[in-house]
Amino acid sequence: MAAEDENPSQPDIDAMLTDQTRACKAARDAIAAGGRVMVWDSEVPHWMVAGIAATRLRRSLKIGLTTLGLDETVEILAQHRDKHLRTGIIDAADRSWYFTLYFDATGTELLACSGVKREPPSKDGRSEAPAVEAATGVHRRRREPVHSLQDGQ
């Protein structure tokens, strides 16, 4: 049985990753480096896909994860209300990044791409490489302080 990323009818994801979001170039690089690509054939309702992306953005902001194009993706998905969408992933070969792909219902148009770096959550939300952030558009979000009621704070 062929793996999903070996399906000859699957679209050329690399060619579809143009400039939808800031994550597209990094996603193309992940594919070129041997990343695993999977695209699901099933359609899912917009509200489900958009809700997951919005939750991922809020959570990433809260715990200080490095994201790429996730904020843009949430905005793009908001423009496709009441439609069905398809999704896919790119898992970097070194497992450092995880990209989510969002397609129209036919799977022929890539609407958005977002990436989340696999890393431990930041304690202070500071990036270790601000110069890289400025050059690449990779964003590391600040973690909001957590107060414990048990400590009387």
Side-chain angles (χ1 to χ4, degrees), residues 106-147:
T106 64
T108 57
E109 180 186 357
L110 180 68
L111 304 174
C113 172
S114 64
V116 177
K117 188 172 184 179
R118 285 190 174 110
E119 61 187 343
S122 167
K123 292 185 180 181
D124 62 6
R126 290 187 200 156
S127 173
E128 297 171 12
V132 172
E133 287 181 5
T136 64
V138 173
H139 295 283
R140 177 137 190 171
R141 307 301 182 165
R142 294 203 178 267
R143 186 174 180 179
E144 297 176 16
V146 178
H147 299 284

Side-chain angles (χ1 to χ4, degrees), residues 22-101:
R22 291 183 310 271
C24 291
K25 181 181 181 327
R28 282 193 312 272
D29 292 346
I31 293 171
R36 179 179 62 122
V37 178
M38 291 179 58
V39 176
W40 285 271
D41 289 332
S42 59
E43 296 176 25
V44 292
H46 163 271
W47 62 265
M48 184 182 297
V49 174
I52 291 169
T55 299
R56 185 172 290 147
L57 177 60
R58 281 191 306 274
R59 179 162 162 59
S60 297
L61 288 168
K62 183 177 180 181
I63 66 173
L65 294 179
T66 305
T67 64
L68 189 56
L70 188 52
D71 52 348
E72 295 168 285
T73 294
V74 170
E75 291 176 15
I76 290 168
L77 293 176
Q79 300 169 15
H80 295 275
R81 294 189 195 286
D82 301 322
K83 296 182 182 176
H84 279 77
L85 305 172
R86 292 183 189 222
T87 60
I89 62 151
I90 301 169
D91 196 6
D94 65 2
R95 308 220 5 110
S96 60
W97 283 87
Y98 181 86
F99 298 92
T100 306
L101 307 169

